Amino acid sequence: MSIDTTHPTHRIGAIQGSGPVVWERIEALLHRVIKPGRYVGGEYNSVHKAWDATDLHICLAFPDLYDLGMSNFALMILYDVLNRQPDLLAHRTYLPAPDMIAAMREAGLPLYALESYQPVSTFDILAISTAYEQLYANSLELMDLAGIPIRSANRDVTTPLVIGGGHGTFNPEPIADFFDVFVIGEAEDAILELTGTFQTTRHTSRDEQLRALAQIPGLYVPRFYTPVYAVGGGISDLTVADPALPTTIEKRLMPALPATPVAQLVPNVSTVHNRAIIEIHRGCTRGCRFCQAGAVTRPIRERPVAEIVASAEAVVQQTGYEELALLSLSSADHTGIDTLIRQLIDQFEGRHVSISLPSLRIDSFSVELAEMLSEGRHSGFTFAPEAGSDAMRRRINKDISTEALLSVAEEVFARGWRTIKLYFMIGLPAETDEDMEAIIELSHQVRQIGNRIGGRKTEVHVSVSTFVPKPDTVFQWEPLVDEETVERRQRILKQGIRGRGLKLSWNAYSATKLETLLTRGDRRLGALVERAWQLGARFDAWDEWCNQDAWNQAIAELPSEELRAAFPSARALLDHQLYRRRQPDERLPWDHLQTGVEKRFLLQDYRRSLSGELLTDCREECHACGILHHYRDLQTEEWRCPVLT
Amino acid sequence: MSSPDVMPTTAAGSGRHRITFATSRTLAYLSVLELGKVWERTLRRGGVPLKYSQGFNPRPRMHFAAPLPVGCGCSADLLDLSLDEPRTSKALYDAIAGVMPQNLVVLGIAPVDIHARSLSELLQEAEYSVWLQQVGEAELAETVAAFLKKDKILMPKRGRKYRGKFYDLRPLVKSLTLDPATPLPWLGLRVRVMARPGATGRPDELLRALGLADRPRRSTRTRLILDGEGPPPEAVADGE
């Protein structure tokens, strides 16, 4: 496969007229590319409204392969929410694989939406998922392939309004120059407020339009917020362009979970998670100190069992899917999970529909749930102890003892599973090489249990990733562990975790470093993202396509005046952004975007972490994280926060 | 309905049906497994009680006559399916008519004796229409004539385990002609190939042999010829 690793030579020019790309131009490329079914649309339940009969056209984009994007449930929800509005039309696009990108650039074919083959540049709004950092360079590639200027400053009302959303927006600063608006938090309501304001301001200038949009709660328009940098590289202040604008932006939160999209898109080609999805609850109360998803999605809101069961029937009828996944951050924490599973099993009895339950806890109850759903198949069971020793697990607030874990492992093997996958992190705060020995020992103990109960055919797969200190978590002040330490610890693990029935996999440090840089960086890194993309960085999540050299070169170049002024060398840049412990009183690049979980609480819990103190599940007692204080008016009976007296 | 139905009553319909269907455009770019999924999901949406195999990984009892190559649509392909409860062909059609994906068309459904031979056993030959662009008419005619003159055309076998192995494409191509009825801007070929287990001609392989694999194309399988149907009169093979 040919991969375009240089700055695009075939630029997509201005789009002629506003009609759709004719099918024959697309068809003419399809025999040259792998898996052409990604580029043609035609999914069952895709929505085909008349272009001219709708007032506002919005293109939802996932900036990676169709195979991944079709499995993204956030976009599925927004597709449903938007298309329910009679005057709106929402279509979809994804980033083509490198072979198709090259073919499209060569043929001068702009990126188009799959429903209508309308060029993306002819939509009013382009909404790009910025769910995680590996999508950032791809977002630029997507805009460029659409023929849209990548910098917000270079766009006006003749180009689509480019908005971003997803967990990445809790620190969107490294990509703030490329997006006009970010939706902070849950977008189901905010997106409609955004489209409404867009409609009433479409005849004004882009700047005026953005000023109006910036008044909507939860919408962040980066051009109106300018960081002020201090000597030494930190951020001293944030200036706001207009006194009418808020100085901080609080995330949007749905009081109760929105209705499940029932007519879910059914892809024709295979995708990563090719199944129906029902979100059973949102948020997590476990309080793992490294976990950004758990922190930014609070509070926990639970969908009632009866509603899930009714939706399950409707979704399966309308999609024909043979698998239904119950989505959440921790399935077994749903208070009605046992009843739910029993009812779903009864309901789909004999209909060849399987139920899957990702994100199980390490306890007997979870094993029982998995057993109920296994239909006699026992392929693999996944545990995420995250750390090898009890002490380290207390530090990260993962409340499971080695003893308990081993007893659950025993139960898993006894019930017939042959493989246990163990997920660990290395590079955690205050970790030493001795912690590697704990991971090795635990892996061997689980392996021995497997051997004793299930015999030599049992296996333990150990997956070790490197800890990334994420914004808005208890560990947000922590530095990234250095490369030498990670490589040494990985070597220790490689030596210790081997032998029959043991498999080990790990992450490349380069990927961890890039993720950390983009998740914690400030706005000055925008120049670096743009430069890396120019040098060919894209598909950072793909081993076969990622271009580490492009990133390294971009970092080495310090590709802007601002970066060169602040950092004497690339090393100084990395030290500042990655390798130093941030001060509790320091202004962090994401401080103006608020999750509702207060910094005060995070700091308190950080101190608890240092002394190895566990924090209980907050459904049992409120730890005053700040959510109830900030969002009390939105509280419904779906919330699982304890009642405060 | 006079049918070879073996189910107890004709009113209850049959436990096995043969569907004649067409796919085009968006559905022409699927692998055979993906097209199978499209059918399985369509049938589940329609509430059709498909029969499944036994075991830990039950598969629907659904069998195509032959896999369609990726990038190839069809105008009369065949699919046999077995049901848990008998249905009439009409009831089956009514169940799925409203839940079909774009570009999948059912042309006919007929009951089949549950003991009848499978489609893959019955299949003898297949006809394809291949439309091409970026090729001149004279060039195409010449290339086709040169192909037909040869007695042997060795092509590398597909798949890793056959690396370094070749097969002879020429005897698999029963006929190959230019199709004067092709609409502009296309130039069309009509090709008839063998379609027996271990002896299957593929249109994409033919294009490779013709040196035309890099040209934009639109391929459609136009006909499947089953044992007992006999070759139609116009199909007396060229070049034989």
Side-chain angles (χ1 to χ4, degrees):
Chain A
M1 195 183 304
S2 71
I3 298 165
D4 185 9
T5 54
T6 57
H7 186 56
T9 46
H10 305 281
R11 297 199 56 92
I12 305 299
I15 307 307
Q16 306 297 311
S18 60
V21 175
V22 290
W23 163 251
E24 284 73 14
R25 290 189 69 200
I26 300 168
E27 185 185 32
L29 306 180
L30 296 178
H31 66 290
R32 297 167 52 184
V33 300
I34 289 172
K35 208 169 172 186
R38 292 163 173 159
Y39 311 118
V40 298
E43 301 86 351
Y44 192 76
N45 287 329
S46 56
V47 178
H48 297 261
K49 293 182 182 179
W51 184 266
D52 293 329
T54 40
D55 179 59
L56 187 116
H57 307 129
I58 180 162
C59 186
L60 300 173
F62 189 83
D64 205 313
L65 294 192
Y66 178 90
D67 316 39
L68 283 171
M70 274 297 283
S71 309
N72 183 282
F73 196 56
L75 286 180
M76 187 80 78
I77 293 174
L78 294 180
Y79 188 75
D80 180 63
V81 165
L82 290 162
N83 280 318
R84 281 172 191 276
Q85 306 299 314
D87 57 338
L88 304 187
L89 163 161
H91 288 169
R92 295 159 300 126
T93 198
Y94 306 89
L95 187 63
D99 60 347
M100 184 65 171
I101 293 178
M104 289 170 73
R105 288 192 185 278
E106 194 187 312
L109 201 69
L111 187 67
Y112 52 87
L114 290 181
E115 283 82 356
S116 52
Y117 306 146
Q118 278 284 343
V120 169
S121 62
T122 64
F123 283 77
D124 298 302
I125 298 173
L126 170 61
I128 302 179
S129 167
T130 49
Y132 49 92
E133 297 75 17
Q134 288 153 325
L135 299 177
Y136 292 178
N138 282 8
S139 299
L140 305 195
E141 179 69 2
L142 185 137
M143 285 188 238
D144 188 66
L145 193 61
I148 298 171
I150 60 164
R151 284 190 166 266
S152 171
N154 297 337
R155 293 192 292 262
D156 60 21
V157 283
T158 64
T159 52
L161 179 83
V162 179
I163 67 177
H167 288 184
T169 61
F170 286 100
N171 176 25
E173 292 303 306
I175 47 169
D177 292 338
F178 313 113
F179 285 78
D180 301 316
V181 181
F182 289 104
V183 181
I184 312 298
E186 297 169 3
E188 290 94 337
D189 284 344
I191 192 85
L192 294 179
E193 292 162 32
L194 184 152
T195 53
T197 301
F198 184 96
Q199 283 169 299
T200 57
T201 57
R202 67 192 320 166
H203 302 298
T204 65
S205 71
R206 179 55 53 88
D207 209 63
E208 278 176 71
Q209 187 170 48
L210 287 171
R211 247 169 238 277
L213 290 170
Q215 304 285 346
I216 298 173
L219 296 196
Y220 172 47
V221 181
R223 70 167 66 176
F224 299 135
Y225 297 82
T226 311
V228 180
Y229 300 103
V231 180
I235 300 168
S236 61
D237 201 3
L238 185 77
T239 58
V240 185
D242 185 337
L245 296 174
T247 52
T248 57
I249 290 107
E250 295 199 344
K251 79 167 181 192
R252 290 298 292 269
L253 184 62
M254 297 297 289
L257 291 185
T260 299
V262 169
Q264 296 180 12
L265 289 158
V266 186
N268 295 319
V269 291
S270 58
T271 58
V272 175
H273 294 303
N274 199 342
R275 58 198 187 186
I277 295 173
I278 297 182
E279 189 182 19
I280 60 170
H281 61 200
R282 192 179 287 184
C284 182
T285 53
R286 296 266 149 189
C288 299
R289 293 179 174 125
F290 55 83
C291 179
Q292 189 191 36
V296 302
T297 57
R298 287 182 178 204
I300 196 158
R301 286 143 290 164
E302 211 172 80
R303 198 184 293 284
V305 169
E307 187 188 325
I308 299 170
V309 172
S311 297
E313 184 62 39
V315 174
V316 169
Q317 273 182 18
Q318 295 212 23
T319 60
Y321 271 122
E322 60 288 338
E323 183 182 348
L324 173 69
L326 303 178
L327 188 71
S328 74
L329 290 171
S330 178
S331 307
D333 283 347
H334 191 288
T335 49
I337 191 74
D338 189 54
T339 320
L340 173 65
I341 298 300
R342 287 175 201 283
Q343 287 194 18
L344 288 176
I345 288 172
D346 277 356
Q347 183 165 321
F348 292 111
E349 172 73 38
R351 291 163 65 182
H352 302 284
V353 175
S354 64
I355 316 285
S356 65
L357 202 58
S359 310
L360 283 170
R361 296 185 315 235
I362 309 173
D363 58 22
S364 303
F365 179 58
S366 294
V367 180
E368 274 167 40
L369 291 175
E371 174 76 53
M372 283 198 268
L373 295 171
S374 69
E375 296 173 341
R377 283 189 303 269
H378 293 95
S379 47
F381 203 103
T382 303
F383 287 171
E386 310 292 0
S389 68
D390 286 351
M392 182 57 92
R393 281 194 294 271
R394 273 196 304 274
R395 224 173 286 148
I396 62 176
N397 205 39
K398 190 87 191 184
D399 185 12
I400 170 89
S401 69
T402 296
E403 198 189 335
L405 189 146
L406 294 176
S407 114
V408 178
E410 188 151 340
E411 197 174 335
V412 168
F413 284 122
R415 286 179 188 256
W417 271 279
R418 287 191 166 170
T419 302
I420 288 185
K421 292 182 201 163
L422 295 174
Y423 284 21
F424 292 102
M425 269 190 293
I426 59 171
L428 287 163
E431 182 182 85
T432 64
D433 288 2
E434 279 71 58
D435 287 295
M436 301 306 102
E437 300 303 335
I439 293 177
I440 293 168
E441 195 187 336
L442 185 57
S443 304
H444 279 280
Q445 283 173 318
V446 175
R447 170 74 195 105
Q448 280 154 11
I449 291 170
N451 207 15
R452 173 162 56 79
I453 295 172
R456 289 154 69 86
K457 283 186 174 169
T458 56
E459 290 190 3
V460 177
H461 297 179
V462 181
S463 176
V464 180
S465 59
T466 303
F467 162 69
V468 172
K470 289 278 194 179
D472 301 311
T473 64
V474 173
F475 290 150
Q476 65 174 351
W477 294 277
E478 282 290 313
L480 173 68
V481 65
D482 65 88
E483 182 163 15
E484 197 188 318
T485 305
V486 168
E487 289 187 346
R488 187 179 65 251
R489 291 187 184 153
Q490 286 178 341
R491 266 199 310 277
I492 297 173
L493 293 173
K494 284 177 215 173
Q495 280 163 5
I497 300 177
R498 57 183 178 190
R500 193 186 167 88
L502 276 170
K503 276 189 196 163
L504 174 68
S505 59
W506 60 90
N507 280 22
Y509 185 77
S510 55
T512 305
K513 187 169 120 184
L514 179 60
E515 182 188 340
T516 312
L517 187 65
L518 295 178
T519 198
R520 303 174 61 74
D522 58 52
R523 201 176 294 184
R524 290 172 294 197
L525 294 192
L528 202 150
V529 174
E530 181 174 9
R531 182 65 187 140
W533 166 73
Q534 286 173 350
L535 291 166
R538 59 215 58 172
F539 291 103
D540 292 316
W542 297 82
D543 288 344
E544 63 268 54
W545 295 325
C546 72
N547 188 339
Q548 196 55 46
D549 292 344
W551 284 105
N552 290 340
Q553 188 180 330
I555 294 168
E557 283 179 13
L558 293 172
S560 73
E561 275 307 319
E562 210 173 24
L563 283 171
R564 286 189 292 273
F567 307 109
S569 65
R571 185 70 234 175
L573 167 84
L574 295 177
D575 282 344
H576 180 83
Q577 306 276 356
L578 302 178
Y579 295 121
R580 72 194 168 89
R581 184 177 306 281
R582 304 205 183 189
Q583 296 307 309
D585 58 351
E586 177 179 342
R587 185 174 187 108
L588 300 170
W590 50 91
D591 273 354
H592 55 301
L593 306 172
Q594 300 193 342
T595 64
V597 177
E598 292 172 5
K599 212 169 173 177
R600 163 199 58 77
F601 166 80
L602 295 176
L603 261 177
Q604 275 170 5
D605 202 37
Y606 182 67
R607 293 195 189 101
R608 274 190 287 260
S609 160
L610 295 178
S611 58
E613 190 186 329
L614 285 169
L615 193 66
T616 54
D617 187 317
C618 69
R619 281 172 303 182
E620 293 154 20
E621 72 183 301
C622 180
H623 303 299
C625 68
I627 283 286
L628 276 178
H629 174 66
H630 290 277
Y631 294 95
R632 186 184 291 276
D633 294 347
L634 300 180
Q635 191 171 6
T636 67
E637 58 188 28
E638 286 191 10
W639 292 29
R640 287 291 166 267
C641 292
V643 180
L644 298 180
T645 48
Chain B
M1 194 189 323
S2 69
S3 77
D5 198 349
V6 294
M7 297 318 272
T9 64
T10 48
S14 169
R16 181 173 161 192
H17 294 264
R18 181 158 299 162
I19 301 181
T20 310
F21 68 93
T23 64
S24 59
R25 280 173 76 128
T26 53
L27 286 187
Y29 296 94
L30 309 189
S31 70
V32 65
L33 289 177
E34 289 164 345
L35 188 59
K37 272 273 189 266
V38 165
W39 267 109
E40 186 187 346
R41 290 170 180 175
T42 302
L43 293 160
R44 183 173 289 107
R45 288 194 295 267
V48 174
L50 261 183
K51 195 186 227 8
Y52 278 71
S53 63
Q54 303 293 310
F56 280 158
N57 276 304
R59 305 295 317 147
R61 299 275 294 270
M62 240 172 40
H63 303 281
F64 292 107
L68 271 164
V70 174
C72 188
C74 62
S75 53
D77 255 37
L78 300 170
L79 170 69
D80 270 10
L81 44 97
S82 303
L83 306 180
D84 259 343
E85 301 157 24
R87 289 280 189 279
T88 63
S89 294
K90 168 85 167 63
L92 193 51
Y93 180 79
D94 290 345
I96 60 176
V99 293
M100 304 281 287
Q102 245 183 18
N103 299 320
L104 176 61
V105 179
V106 170
L107 303 167
I109 304 182
V112 180
D113 186 307
I114 51 165
H115 302 297
R117 283 199 289 160
S118 73
L119 281 168
S120 58
E121 285 175 86
L122 290 168
L123 184 66
Q124 301 293 315
E125 295 177 359
E127 288 181 5
Y128 292 87
S129 137
V130 180
W131 295 0
L132 295 164
Q133 282 188 32
Q134 295 170 18
V135 59
E137 193 165 0
E139 182 197 350
L140 187 61
E142 226 168 85
T143 313
V144 166
F147 178 93
L148 293 173
K149 274 201 198 100
K150 293 185 186 159
D151 328 313
K152 198 170 208 179
I153 296 168
L154 289 184
M155 299 290 292
K157 283 194 171 185
R158 292 149 42 87
R160 194 170 293 175
K161 70 173 177 175
Y162 297 114
R163 190 171 289 164
K165 300 257 191 335
F166 291 83
Y167 73 98
D168 187 1
L169 172 67
R170 184 61 192 86
L172 302 179
V173 178
K174 309 304 284 183
S175 77
L176 174 63
T177 55
L178 267 64
D179 184 356
T182 312
L184 289 170
W186 303 94
L187 282 177
L189 293 173
R190 295 188 69 80
V191 57
R192 178 164 171 148
V193 293
M194 285 182 52
R196 307 279 307 133
T200 299
R202 292 170 52 106
D204 47 340
E205 294 275 289
L206 173 67
L207 288 178
R208 196 162 298 137
L210 294 172
L212 298 170
D214 59 340
R215 312 300 157 90
R217 59 172 175 254
R218 184 180 294 171
S219 307
T220 309
R221 183 151 72 197
T222 50
R223 186 167 174 224
L224 295 168
I225 297 153
L226 304 186
D227 192 17
E229 286 188 351
E234 81 272 21
V236 176
D238 289 82
E240 278 200 349

